[in-house]
Amino acid sequence: MAGGLTFLWALFNHRLLLYGDATAHLAIARRMVDSATPGLAQWGTVWLPLPHLLMAPLVWILPLWRNGLAGAVPSWLALGVATWLLHRLVRRSWGAGAAAWAAVAFCLNPSLLYLSAVPMTESIYLACFLGVVDQCGAYAHQPSMRFAWGAGAWGLAASLCRYDGWFLLPFALLVLLVASPGIVSALRSALRFCLLAGLGPAFWSAYNGWYFNDPLGFARGPYSARGIYEASLRAGGLRYPGDHALGLAVLYYVKTVVLTCGVPLMILALLGLLGWRGWRGRAEASLLLLPLPWYVWAMWSGNVPIFLPQYWPHGYYNLRYGVQMLPAVALFSGLAVAALAGGLRRVILPRWSGRRLAGAVAAGLALIGAASYLVMLRPPGPPAYAEAVHNAPARLEMEHQLAQALAARQAGERVLMYYGNFPGALPDDGIPLHAVVQESNFLLWQEALLRPHQYVQWVVRESDSPTWRLVNERDLAQYFEQVADLHVATQHEIRVYHLHGH
């Protein structure tokens, strides 16, 4: 219900495409089916393919591509799947009360609600992640091979969604090995899990090797997080907070989680974690905590920056990663509430008074948690939404100006442009991608850069991009005229050229 309402609010208030990544995900899905060279190569080297495959059935419909609905629907549906899986795995080990609390705290989180209403990958990955945790937990309770297969299937989905899923796989395998009653069952479950889950990393490495001649292109290529960061450093950019500074990495990520989940829920979660005893649910709880070391390592290694408004450099960037810890926070806060309510029922006499007091305390804690969520709705909004709003205006303005510059394009005319930074300009004009020569067209792209007048009627030349560095300037000067010079603060300069006589 809340997810649907947020989805409708974002749709009718034009909030689906505030994230540049949301537009880019749609662009990748669209160019799979509408490109000068359509096919699997349009996935590129870095972003994993599952979210784009889920968007593909709708993204070919022009209005759904233009307004972002094609990418929002899979995210919205994934929220329901993730909530159901979290409720099931918590109920199995800790009972209905803790499960209800965890599910509600999870699915009503304002940041997650917004991310689940837009074309982003967070809710899709959380569904895959919780699927792995659920199946591993089920195996720990009842070592059946069907749960090993299930964990492997969800692991395959997670590893094709985000690189967090690659980090998850060895720990999920370890849970299956430890939970097995003997060596034979351990080997059987490990084999089944690896046969499925291992396909994800193996496929992506083979894909990068086949199309881009580097099996590790996603990790060390020019468009990888590492490649972009190193290029920024060479250009005189500053180091990310947390880069080889473990204390800062921990501080920034924990603060991000606190901002995302709220202080009351975090306090309850900490109490639940400190009070957690025994072996029950150890598989699920341990796996749910994995996003913490993953993101701390990612920040420490320099691959992932997180900018907080409270700390230097006082920006909004990747605050949305706090939602990855939300399942763990929801679980452990639920354990704290359930333990407190159960303790009150046991120690207070008469018995009916204990039940009533326990219910009142649980309801009071729920109201406090709900109040902290409501406070997040005040400007600038919950962290994930505030990040999108803060970073969107300059990019949207440049996309709008570029769309205006290309508005004179006639049907059948082709455009040469670097597609990675401002893909939203094309849906604004309804320009089909098969009329655009862009970086994932490979040989056609290289040839068009050398002899643009033979291939296109428009050239969009963006500073600090391949079109700025590699386009044949002599050809450009001889056959084209500049029709626009676009400037927006914090964005690359863009010059637009049109072929003489067209």
Side-chain angles (χ1 to χ4, degrees), residues 50-69:
L50 179 60
H52 311 129
L53 287 171
L54 296 177
M55 297 175 189
L58 294 177
V59 80
W60 65 272
I61 303 172
L62 184 60
L64 302 188
W65 172 46
R66 296 182 68 178
N67 65 17
L69 196 62

Side-chain angles (χ1 to χ4, degrees), residues 405-417 431-432 434-437 444 448-449 451-461 471 475-476 478-484 495-502:
L406 293 173
R409 172 191 167 273
Q410 301 297 312
E413 293 185 340
R414 285 180 131 186
V415 181
L416 173 67
M417 69 176 287
I431 298 175
H434 62 260
V436 179
V437 179
L444 177 61
L449 286 172
R451 296 178 294 278
H453 78 280
Q454 295 184 9
Y455 293 91
V456 300
Q457 290 74 42
W458 295 82
V459 174
V460 177
R461 198 176 183 201
V471 72
D475 188 287
L476 204 62
Q478 181 177 355
Y479 296 101
F480 291 81
E481 62 177 331
Q482 183 176 320
V483 296
R495 296 175 185 174
V496 181
Y497 300 82
H498 190 214
L499 190 67
H500 290 304
H502 283 258

Side-chain angles (χ1 to χ4, degrees), residues 381-421:
Y385 176 71
E387 175 189 343
V389 170
H390 184 270
N391 296 325
R395 176 184 56 81
L396 293 177
E397 174 60 23
M398 180 58 87
E399 288 183 343
H400 176 66
Q401 289 190 22
L402 180 54
Q404 286 184 319
L406 293 173
R409 172 191 167 273
Q410 301 297 312
E413 293 185 340
R414 285 180 131 186
V415 181
L416 173 67
M417 69 176 287
Y418 177 68
Y419 193 47
N421 289 335

